[in-house]
Amino acid sequence: MDQFFTEAINQAKKGLAEGGIPIGSVLVHKGAILGKGHNRRVQKGSVILHGEMDALENAGRQEAHIYKESTIYTTLSPCPMCTGAILLYGIPKVVIGENKTFLGAEDLLKSNGVEVIVLNDEECIQLMETFINTKPKLWNEDIGEE
């Protein structure tokens, strides 16, 4: 398994261990991790700290060309908010752990020329299925559902 994807899974598990939602992400530039993060909406009382947003925040400010040469790894299909950030910064490639439990705005990414790779990783699917089944109210809050 790819070391960067492995780190995204580790981030997801970290989020779960903290009482949050098990979604992790890693921003990679030329073989080096710029930022890693996990969904911390619960932990920080945040409305925007999804896994991808946390990884971008932890990467800090970068010059535009850095984003355009980077790949973002995420354990779950990116929601419209995270997709917007990926498009805003021109990140050309997204590696997604799974989109079975939640299908985000992958079509929007693709229609804007972003390379989207879905791994259908069983560990990611299991993490999310277990979480959704045990904490459906929290999950629905995270994706803006009732």
Side-chain angles (χ1 to χ4, degrees):
M1 185 181 294
D2 181 289
Q3 66 179 344
F4 304 122
F5 183 64
T6 298
E7 182 56 37
I9 291 175
N10 290 340
Q11 287 293 310
K13 290 176 180 176
K14 184 176 180 180
L16 184 62
E18 294 171 354
I21 299 167
I23 303 167
S25 185
V26 178
L27 181 66
V28 176
H29 178 256
K30 294 188 176 181
I33 293 176
L34 291 180
K36 54 189 172 182
H38 50 279
N39 186 305
R40 294 194 304 158
R41 290 185 69 249
V42 172
Q43 300 92 310
K44 294 287 185 180
S46 171
V47 298
I48 62 166
L49 281 181
H50 281 188
E52 300 90 338
M53 302 299 271
D54 193 40
L56 288 166
E57 181 70 15
N58 290 331
R61 233 174 99 200
Q62 302 292 327
E63 293 181 15
H65 75 92
I66 300 293
Y67 296 112
K68 293 179 187 337
E69 299 167 346
S70 294
T71 298
I72 194 162
Y73 292 75
T74 181
T75 58
L76 186 65
S77 185
C79 75
M81 175 179 65
C82 296
T83 293
I86 291 165
L87 294 175
L88 176 67
Y89 292 110
I91 299 169
K93 183 176 180 180
V94 181
V95 178
I96 299 167
E98 66 102 351
N99 62 7
K100 178 182 174 194
T101 61
F102 175 78
L103 178 59
E106 291 177 27
D107 286 343
L108 183 57
L109 289 168
K110 292 174 188 173
S111 71
N112 280 274
V114 175
E115 180 183 359
V116 175
I117 298 170
V118 181
L119 302 176
N120 291 313
D121 181 81
E122 282 301 320
E123 187 173 12
C124 291
I125 293 168
Q126 188 60 49
L127 270 171
M128 286 308 301
E129 284 181 345
T130 300
F131 181 81
I132 291 167
N133 287 332
T134 58
K135 297 189 177 178
K137 185 176 179 187
L138 183 55
W139 169 241
N140 286 333
E141 174 192 315
D142 198 63
I143 58 171
E145 299 286 329
E146 290 292 324

